[in-house]
Amino acid sequence: MAEHSPAVVVTARSQPTQELAQAVNWKVQRLFRRSLQVRAVDAGSCNGCEWELVAALNAIYDLQRLGVDIVASPRHADALLVTGMVTRNLELALLRTFEATPHPKLVIAVGACAGTGCVFRGSYAVHPGVGEVLPVDVYIPGCPPTPGAILQGLLVAMGRLEPPARRQEFVE
Amino acid sequence: MSNKLSEVINTLRRLEGPLQVSAGPEQVTVVTAAPALAQVCAQVAQACDARLATSVGCDERLLGRGFQVYFVFAADRAGAFITVQAELDENAPVFPSLTARLPAANWHEREMHDLLGFLPQGHPDLRPLVLHPGWPKGFFPLRKDAQLPPSPFQVAGDLDMPGVTGQGVYQLPVGPIHAGVIEPGHFRFFLDGEQILSLEAQLFYVHRGAEKLIEGRTPALALPVVERLCATCSASHAIGFCQAVEALSGVEIPPRARHLRTLYLELERLYNHLGDMGNICAGLSYHLGNYLGASSKEALVSLNAELTGHRYLMGVAALGGVRADLPGHAPERIRTVLAQAYRDLQELLSGITTSPSVLDRLENTGRLSREVALELALVGPAARASGVDRDARRDHPYLAYSDLKLLVPLRSAGDVYSRLMVRADEAQVSMDLVNQLLRTLPAGPVRTDVPPLPPRRQALSWIESPRGESVHWVQGGNDGTIYRYRLRSASYQNWPAVPQAVLGNIVPDFPLVNKSFELCYSCTDR
Ligand code: SF4
């Protein structure tokens, strides 16, 4: 995998560290002009993270008003939003989706499964998180993260919020 | 023991063949020899008017019992579950396939073939189901001595799909990764123009090996996995699992816990049904309906969070009851939110039923006949929309349902409209049930202690989840841990109906038909 700056983990309490979040922000601001076209991929989710993403699009949270949209094809996407720990059965399809997404691109891992494998860690049928398979830029933790948390995470990714994240490799 | 149950037992005792019949409360076990399995199962199904409820293949070599298969039938009118059990030869675990006689057994047998290496002889289609092509040969994860080879491997994925051929017939592959924010599955349409001649589905992309993961854990450590099998059936699965464990340990939960569990199950049904109605509207491009459904669901899951701390009710169930009591203001809040949900539902319904263009898309689309619904042993709203009068809450009452006045709405056309309307009717019934529960909520503790699992015994439990009856099967090992667990979710049972329902429809209606079943991939794939 090509060299890749460490990921941002979005949490409410962590101290902001400018330089890291800037790495992500730079990409979005320069390359994606502060709007983000996202392709969602379920790579082994219990569907909870999906439903919260769908909820983030409902009339109450209305993600689209912030310049984020969910697109139908990875060919249209600036970012892949991956949920689930990456199952063996889906690994190849996920890799193909990543390849199909034009450069430059962000990978946003949503949920505890995508972060670490959550309670499924250690099963024969899964990888322990998206980071094992793809270079992740932003982690949005939670099981599932609420629509508000997803919104916050996407805004951090887009540089529209003061980054609440600190520099951190996602390690066990 | 009820009269109906003793009738079932007498019927079973009159059956021919090598079998032994024994009975417990609500459950009867028939032990037979492997070569007679298919015949005995077919007889049981016929003589007792029973449908296939679940199946379990089990490597019981560590319990000193070799390989076992269990096929569990539900005799709804008698209110009984009948298990047919046979031991297989350790060196050649073979049994005659049931699928030709009982089509509902199709996936069950393919799954045993994949995960345990059992051979259902004479099965018409033994392509891989759960483990896609590319998994190491001879790796049967649910065998106790299963081991993944150390060398890395990648699952190549694509399944052979014979489908139909002929002049002008072409194929349209869709997925596993779809355009919307939905779960992964691969669909292959065989088309004549836009008309669907045949549909083949490859699912199990989100197979997480959860059943294996749970083996060797205490029930308390297994519960967090069970409730994460599927977010929108989370309360159903968690409570169903707890019920099976409690049945095994002989525990009765306190009356208040019974009521609270029932309340959570109905709240889960409600947010699902309203959300699903909105999703069907999304499949129609009827955006107002979609927004109404989504807003209503949002209000209901927010209520969940307010009551329990989790929008999808994860963590509410505990072994021996529920984790915490309701906050004091809960009844009032629930009534307020439900009153609004009722108004949302009426608005949604009036929008749907007064719009000819919406009705045009709903009616006659994705018809599933009663015969097919019976043949595939469907459950839940999908069965009830095709005129199959089946609801575990009434037929096999559990928790507080026997104390409640419960109506089971029924439709007969089996089209998308019927599946939508069954949900609408059921949502109103759920609101009524919630009100009944709030009126009759008993006082007292919400949890009791559960002793360790007794060794080498198994128990069954069933829950009418939002998508229909789900069946849990739990077996204790030698040391208080779980030896084998299987969940047969409602979605698992109903999936084979989707390819049947779309026949003769056009491709643009597929998302709509699919959404009208609204099956979860996650609790199917596990
Ligand atoms: S993080 Fe939690 S909600 Fe999200 S997919 Fe995993 S188990 Fe489901």
Side-chain angles (χ1 to χ4, degrees):
Chain A
M1 228 164 262
E3 62 178 274
H4 186 258
S5 49
V8 180
V9 183
V10 179
T11 66
R13 263 172 296 156
S14 46
Q15 284 301 313
T17 300
Q18 291 297 345
E19 94 206 66
L20 177 74
Q22 268 167 11
V24 176
N25 294 351
W26 182 84
K27 265 195 194 171
V28 182
Q29 290 181 16
R30 282 294 151 79
L31 301 169
F32 307 136
R33 320 251 160 181
R34 295 181 136 228
S35 97
L36 201 62
Q37 305 275 301
V38 177
R39 171 64 252 172
V41 181
D42 173 345
S45 153
C46 76
N47 215 9
C49 287
E50 271 62 44
W51 282 125
E52 293 302 55
L53 179 62
V54 170
L57 293 161
N58 73 24
I60 289 116
Y61 302 97
D62 195 9
L63 192 55
Q64 281 157 316
R65 84 198 133 102
L66 300 167
V68 181
D69 207 0
I70 306 292
V71 293
S73 163
R75 305 295 291 155
H76 304 165
D78 306 317
L80 285 186
L81 187 157
V82 187
T83 62
M85 63 302 278
V86 187
T87 58
R88 294 273 194 176
N89 277 347
L90 203 84
E91 180 182 353
L92 194 64
L94 176 65
L95 288 170
R96 286 189 183 149
T97 308
F98 180 74
E99 273 163 33
T101 311
H103 264 296
K105 51 192 155 192
L106 290 174
V107 175
I108 304 169
V110 173
C113 286
T116 61
C118 192
V119 294
F120 298 99
R121 195 180 177 92
S123 160
Y124 66 86
V126 305
H127 289 283
V130 180
E132 296 283 316
V133 181
L134 295 180
V136 176
D137 296 280
V138 180
Y139 284 100
I140 304 179
C143 181
T146 58
I150 294 177
L151 228 136
Q152 183 202 8
L154 288 169
L155 288 174
V156 167
M158 292 165 65
R160 292 236 178 143
L161 273 191
E162 278 300 298
R166 68 193 143 90
R167 184 177 189 124
Q168 190 175 352
E169 292 262 18
F170 214 91
V171 290
E172 279 177 59
Chain B
M1 194 179 295
S2 77
N3 283 340
K4 284 180 178 168
L5 186 62
S6 33
E7 246 172 65
V8 165
I9 294 167
N10 288 334
T11 317
L12 290 169
R13 293 220 161 105
R14 281 197 299 273
L15 292 182
E16 286 170 22
L19 41 89
Q20 254 176 287
V21 179
S22 59
E26 293 169 339
Q27 285 182 43
V28 188
T29 305
V30 179
V31 180
T32 183
L37 189 67
Q39 191 209 343
V40 171
C41 285
Q43 280 183 326
V44 166
Q46 223 218 341
C48 304
D49 190 13
R51 66 190 156 88
L52 181 64
T54 188
S55 72
V56 189
C58 200
D59 173 0
E60 296 184 14
R61 287 176 296 178
L62 303 183
L63 304 180
R65 294 197 292 234
F67 291 135
Q68 301 282 338
V69 285
Y70 302 84
F71 281 98
V72 182
F73 293 86
D76 293 328
R77 264 181 288 167
F81 285 88
I82 305 157
T83 300
V84 182
Q85 177 186 356
E87 181 165 332
L88 307 185
D89 186 335
E90 262 180 51
N91 300 312
V94 175
F95 63 94
S97 164
L98 274 60
T99 300
R101 297 185 223 212
L102 299 169
N106 189 335
W107 275 22
H108 292 260
E109 293 183 340
R110 280 172 75 183
E111 182 174 325
M112 284 186 207
H113 183 241
D114 275 11
L115 299 182
L116 283 142
F118 294 176
L119 180 67
Q121 217 155 29
H123 191 289
D125 173 16
L126 274 183
R127 286 175 301 162
L129 180 75
V130 182
L131 302 183
H132 291 173
W135 280 81
K137 282 253 165 322
F139 172 62
F140 302 119
L142 290 183
R143 286 199 183 179
K144 292 293 171 180
D145 51 6
Q147 228 162 21
L148 264 185
S151 50
F153 66 96
Q154 197 170 52
V155 178
D158 297 346
L159 196 65
D160 269 349
M161 295 198 169
V164 292
T165 49
Q167 209 189 357
V169 176
Y170 70 101
Q171 298 186 20
L172 179 70
V174 179
I177 292 172
H178 297 283
V181 184
I182 50 172
E183 304 184 79
H186 176 79
F187 299 103
R188 188 85 57 86
F189 296 95
F190 296 81
L191 302 168
D192 174 14
E194 280 208 296
Q195 201 181 37
I196 302 169
L197 301 176
S198 168
L199 166 63
E200 292 226 30
Q202 182 179 3
L203 303 179
F204 295 88
Y205 282 96
V206 295
H207 175 60
R208 286 148 291 167
E211 290 177 3
K212 179 75 173 185
L213 201 60
I214 284 170
E215 291 181 2
R217 294 193 183 196
T218 59
L221 288 178
L223 183 58
V225 179
V226 174
E227 57 188 8
R228 280 163 185 77
L229 287 174
C230 174
T232 48
C233 308
S234 177
S236 298
H237 290 344
I239 293 171
F241 172 78
C242 290
Q243 274 193 172
V245 170
E246 288 149 8
L248 206 46
S249 309
V251 167
E252 267 225 35
I253 64 166
R256 188 172 174 86
R258 283 202 307 151
H259 263 61
L260 289 179
R261 280 186 179 178
T262 316
L263 178 76
Y264 294 138
L265 290 171
E266 291 308 321
L267 289 175
E268 179 167 82
R269 190 180 330 280
L270 259 177
Y271 86 70
N272 269 287
H273 277 8
L274 282 159
D276 289 349
M277 291 177 69
N279 293 334
I280 294 175
C281 293
L284 287 168
S285 281
Y286 173 47
H287 296 300
L288 182 60
N290 180 20
Y291 280 112
L292 268 171
S295 307
S296 195
K297 177 181 176 182
E298 179 63 34
L300 289 162
V301 295
S302 300
L303 173 69
N304 290 345
E306 207 181 317
L307 299 176
T308 70
H310 199 285
R311 285 161 55 90
Y312 297 91
L313 299 171
M314 287 183 193
V316 296
L319 294 163
V322 293
R323 201 157 304 225
D325 208 336
L326 284 176
H329 68 291
E332 192 195 319
R333 275 297 291 153
I334 296 174
R335 286 199 184 97
T336 314
V337 175
L338 256 53
Q340 181 58 43
Y342 181 78
R343 289 192 290 274
D344 291 345
L345 178 64
Q346 298 311 322
E347 193 180 340
L348 183 59
L349 279 176
S350 87
I352 289 168
T353 50
T354 56
S355 164
S357 60
V358 168
L359 287 175
D360 183 65
R361 299 256 344 252
L362 291 170
E363 285 172 341
N364 290 317
T365 306
R367 254 179 199 275
L368 189 81
S369 70
R370 182 162 190 274
E371 288 66 45
V372 176
L374 285 171
E375 197 172 275
L376 295 175
L378 294 202
V379 292
R384 295 190 283 272
S386 290
V388 178
D389 190 6
R390 185 174 282 166
D391 190 322
R393 294 175 292 174
R394 179 200 58 200
D395 303 336
H396 309 272
Y398 51 93
L399 293 175
Y401 287 112
S402 45
D403 307 337
L404 301 174
K405 220 171 111 259
L406 168 71
L407 259 167
V408 179
L410 212 60
R411 300 264 164 168
S412 59
D415 53 5
V416 173
Y417 182 73
S418 306
R419 286 187 285 276
L420 178 83
M421 293 311 281
V422 160
R423 287 197 178 82
D425 297 342
E426 283 183 26
Q428 302 190 42
V429 171
S430 284
M431 292 177 189
D432 177 50
L433 290 176
V434 170
N435 281 321
Q436 291 184 48
L437 285 162
L438 291 178
R439 272 202 305 275
T440 56
L441 202 59
V446 297
R447 194 169 174 182
T448 181
D449 287 339
V450 178
L453 278 185
R456 294 181 295 281
R457 282 179 40 216
Q458 55 265 5
L460 190 71
S461 83
W462 49 91
I463 290 273
E464 186 75 20
S465 76
R467 287 156 189 84
E469 175 208 74
S470 298
V471 181
H472 300 253
W473 193 95
V474 176
Q475 183 176 47
N478 288 320
D479 54 355
T481 62
I482 293 169
Y483 189 80
R484 172 88 168 95
Y485 164 67
R486 183 162 193 258
L487 165 66
R488 193 282 290 152
S489 69
S491 297
Y492 184 93
Q493 198 69 10
N494 287 354
W495 256 112
V498 175
Q500 299 291 324
V502 298
L503 293 182
N505 287 256
I506 56 173
V507 178
D509 278 338
F510 172 71
L512 181 58
V513 177
N514 196 11
K515 283 199 160 80
S516 73
F517 285 90
E518 191 59 36
L519 303 177
C520 327
Y521 301 59
S522 50
C523 57
T524 301
D525 302 359
R526 288 155 289 139

